Amino acid sequence: MIRFVFALILVVVALPARAGVEIKQVTSPGGITAWLVEDHSIPFTALELRFRGGAVLDPEGKKGVASLMAALLEEGAGDMDARGFARAAEALATSFSYGASDDTISVSARFLSENRDAAVDLLRQSLVQPRFDDDAIERVRAQMLSNLRSDLKDPRAIAGRAFDARIFASHPYGQPVDGTVESVAALSRADLQQAHRTLLVRNRVFVGAAGDITAEELGVLLDQLLGDLPTGQATLPGPADLAFDGGVHVVDFPTPQSVVLFGQPGLGLDDPDFFPAFVLNHILGGGGFESRLMSEVREKRGLTYGIYTYLGDKDYADLWQGSVSSANDRVAEAVEVIRQQWAEAAENGVTAEELQDAITYLTGAYPLRFDGNGPIAKIIVGMQLQGFDREYVNTRNARIEAVTQADVARVARRLMDPALLTFVVVGQPQGLAAN
Amino acid sequence: MLRYLAPVVSLLLIALPLRAGAQVSSFALDNGMEVVVIEDHRAPVVVHMVWYRAGSADEPPGASGVAHFLEHLLFKGTENMAPGELSATVARNGGSDNAFTSYDYTAYYQRIAADRLPLMMKMEADRMVNLRLSETDVATERDVIIEERNQRVENDPSSLFREQKNAALFLNHRYGVPVIGWRHEMVALDQSKARAFYDRYYAPNNAILIVAGDVRPQEVRALAQQYYGPLPANPDLPARIRPQEPPQTAERRLVFRDARVAQPYVSRSYLAPERDSGAQETAAALTILAEILGGGTTSVMAEKLQFDSQTAVYTGAFYGGGALDKTSFDLVVVPAPGVSLQQAEDAMDAVLADFVKTGVDEAQLARIKMQVKAAEIYDRDNVERLANRYGRALTQGLTIADVQDWPQVLQAVTADDVMAAARAVLDRRQSVTGWLMSEEATQ
């Protein structure tokens, strides 16, 4: 058991050094590891599980099976049907939520200290012995189909699907996590059981826990909760080829405001240039009211309510993405301004003042995230998925502080490519020719 | 070493009966500004908020959206700060800031390292009285709120439907006008309208300061006196009296059609009483009624419409008791494929009629109360949510005691109370039933 605490370097505006979380690594008697931040001030525990391998492992033609499987975990388990399971959770005042993304199956739970064992046993049944009753499958499938039909008429969903289909093409990322009306309609109970066996495997699980539980108690809990899961070796996909072409691609949809997604290739967390790129993104479009794009597109021109960019670090693709929405008769100007800003930053980098402001913000805001059991459990499970060690909480701010103006300029030149910056526009934009 | 004090203090609080929550204290400044301090010493963070008892329902007729527009303009500079300087300063100190507007309140907040509290107070106090705007900034920001309306409302048929339904529910009250404003009035908003709202409502005697996180009440008191204390009260602050609803005696119905609707649904809103200070019992019963009728998998509507029959793919019941004036009790049924909106509505009404006859399942009521009790523990994990709860309550006519009593009032609700509330509120004459459907749908 090793102690790690924040060691903030004190600069002029540094935070007080008493910020601290201590991340413990816990290994259960059965060999399952977890990270824990112990805090006994409130008598409950937040628990986050992530199983690597989500919708990317959906078999050909069965897109949406991971998502429907995850949604069914709470719809009957052990000797309880869906309502029996829900009543049991209510009586314990515990809550569980289950979800699928491209890269993971996620399970979030919180339970009171006073009935922890019963709550964990209930959660265990949903993970180990889900029933996949026929009536539950049909009921939840109908909900999913309803959402899928709504997505077909929602400009934001249309944009997301069009962007992914264009950029990721034949990679599993190219298809929506929730599948299509056709694929979901065709899923069978056997498909769901197979997805459960493939995805909920103990050798691919990451665990973050925070709150009123000791390392010893967590160790016992891990074996109870996850010890009965099988191991699995489903082959994970390889890296995606990214089809950015620098074009503007319009999807005609009758709605007053165009929804725009844009992007270009990004870089991975393991790239030595990641931190300069992270700071650069913050200055360009990551930083709330202060970013260049927010200033140029919203504050100066009133073209949108919000514009954001982010470095998307998916398991098998690294993207630099952004989004904006503007009225159909103004969106062409928004796209033009984004392109100008992209070219400007690529050529000239950022100013010394912008860099200093970004570093101050990013390092100052970091410890403020660790402000509750719920957020802490999420952060520490995310760190494991991203491949960080526990030491990261100590070194992260120093790595950001080490970024120089020359680093940012070099990374901007290396990475930002206006010729690859690709736009997907859903709406009826004026003056934006599809190309 | 402060953080090691917290567990001891908290354990003491847990040993108390239901009232025990986070440590909350309050006081008032001489100029009438109320101050609430919520302590949570687990992380060196503070949330600093100023809430004004002024929201869209306090707007003058014809200027809908001005409360929200003014909220945007408060980031556009003062006699001492350039446009954007406040947010930039917050960010330069590692914090984040924002603001929000609703029917009964407008609130501004920063989330930042606890030792930056004095700077936050200095800037927030400044913009309470020293707003200075340029015509250019006002015009550009009006474009921004139009785009906000485009994003939130015009691009979303459900939002357009809700606007129409609310307008039909409230015959006389401003709750029938959208917070963001009607588009035709938003485009006519200008500096003079915003300024008039500011001059009327932005003053310490109409404001509540909430500081939550790693702070001590003595320290907050000293800082509040230093920064907010010198601000003059507005002697002409109007009494908060809005046009009230007349007796509602005729059921209203509407059909909203939009080609962008993929999933039709039926929703009904009943006019309902709100939480009143010192008299929260009816609101508590309605809160539990909403859970019983449509709070999830084990609710009565789910049982009858999603399990016993496959009439609906989704059902829900909602009651938000937080409002200065009358509020609504809402039901929604999303029909399964092949079920018409008329059939869905009829099935919903059959469930309600049956419920009024059969009454409350005591086991379900007990489970709900267990969750109410647990919520007091879970809620303490998020001090910002607690701060928001107090801010809403104090701008909606409630007191700190009302907030702290609320869990107990909920625990005291009996099955008879729930049924009495149900019989009173489920009155079609005081309701709007709306159908959201696609243009090409054949119902």
Side-chain angles (χ1 to χ4, degrees), chain B residues 23-28 33-39 47 49 208-212 215 217 220 386-387 390-391 394 400 404:
Chain B
Q23 293 184 81
V24 180
S25 49
S26 68
F27 52 91
M33 189 166 184
E34 283 182 59
V35 185
V36 179
V37 182
I38 306 169
E39 291 181 71
V47 178
M49 320 185 88
I208 297 142
L209 170 66
I210 299 185
V211 182
V215 290
V220 174
L386 287 176
Y390 280 94
L394 295 179
I400 290 172
Q404 295 180 338

Side-chain angles (χ1 to χ4, degrees), chain B residues 270-276 282-283 286 319-321 325-328 425:
Chain B
Y270 298 91
L271 194 69
E274 74 285 5
R275 283 169 68 183
D276 285 325
T282 303
L286 289 170
Y319 169 71
D325 300 311
K326 287 244 183 317
T327 182
S328 66
V425 84

Side-chain angles (χ1 to χ4, degrees), chain B residues 20-230:
Chain B
Q23 293 184 81
V24 180
S25 49
S26 68
F27 52 91
L29 303 181
D30 291 343
N31 58 15
M33 189 166 184
E34 283 182 59
V35 185
V36 179
V37 182
I38 306 169
E39 291 181 71
D40 179 355
H41 300 284
R42 292 178 300 158
V45 188
V46 69
V47 178
H48 169 254
M49 320 185 88
V50 169
W51 293 68
Y52 293 96
R53 290 187 172 96
S56 65
D58 300 295
E59 293 164 346
S64 63
V66 73
H68 170 253
F69 186 40
L70 176 64
E71 176 228 294
H72 278 234
L73 293 175
L74 249 75
F75 293 85
K76 292 298 183 183
T78 69
E79 288 160 23
N80 306 303
M81 291 187 287
E85 183 180 335
L86 187 149
S87 294
T89 305
V90 174
R92 234 175 260 132
N93 283 276
S96 52
D97 71 325
N98 216 324
F100 48 88
T101 307
S102 187
Y103 298 104
D104 295 325
Y105 52 77
T106 310
Y108 302 81
Y109 69 93
Q110 301 87 32
R111 189 170 175 282
I112 198 159
D115 66 344
R116 306 300 146 88
L117 182 59
L119 179 59
M120 299 304 106
M121 286 197 183
K122 183 178 175 213
M123 294 192 296
E124 199 62 78
D126 180 47
R127 70 172 161 179
M128 190 184 294
V129 291
N130 292 324
L131 186 65
R132 195 178 62 190
L133 300 169
S134 79
E135 283 301 339
T136 315
D137 282 340
V138 170
T140 308
E141 202 61 25
R142 190 172 51 224
D143 287 343
V144 170
I145 59 167
I146 298 288
E147 289 297 346
E148 183 176 356
R149 184 181 161 86
N150 282 340
Q151 185 171 326
R152 290 184 190 277
V153 184
E154 307 287 349
N155 255 27
D156 176 7
S158 295
S159 292
L160 290 163
F161 171 58
R162 271 196 300 276
E163 279 190 350
Q164 298 289 313
K165 201 157 61 70
N166 263 338
L169 179 63
F170 292 98
L171 300 173
N172 197 42
H173 197 282
R174 287 283 297 192
Y175 288 162
V177 176
V179 173
I180 199 160
W182 297 118
R183 188 184 185 97
H184 69 284
E185 293 183 351
M186 291 172 73
V187 297
L189 292 175
D190 58 17
Q191 174 152 199
S192 68
K193 287 172 180 158
R195 170 63 67 172
F197 197 82
Y198 179 74
D199 290 342
R200 193 174 171 90
Y201 292 117
Y202 281 53
N205 51 327
N206 199 40
I208 297 142
L209 170 66
I210 299 185
V211 182
D214 190 15
V215 290
R216 303 285 174 191
Q218 322 72 290
E219 154 201 3
V220 174
R221 182 191 290 268
L223 291 171
Q225 276 167 347
Q226 180 183 347
Y227 292 105
Y228 292 104

Side-chain angles (χ1 to χ4, degrees), chain A residues 331-396:
Chain A
V331 66
E333 187 182 350
V335 168
E336 184 54 33
V337 174
I338 294 165
R339 286 196 149 139
Q340 285 165 6
Q341 289 299 316
W342 216 266
E344 157 66 25
E347 195 176 328
N348 299 319
V350 301
T351 69
E353 189 187 3
E354 285 175 318
L355 176 65
Q356 191 51 55
D357 285 350
I359 289 174
T360 316
Y361 171 78
L362 291 169
T363 55
Y366 185 62
L368 306 190
R369 293 188 205 165
F370 295 79
D371 72 335
N373 297 337
I376 289 172
K378 282 195 165 64
I379 291 169
I380 62 179
V381 81
M383 284 170 60
Q384 295 172 74
L385 274 169
Q386 290 175 321
F388 295 134
D389 57 29
R390 287 173 293 154
E391 184 66 24
Y392 178 76
V393 296
N394 292 329
T395 60
R396 183 262 194 198

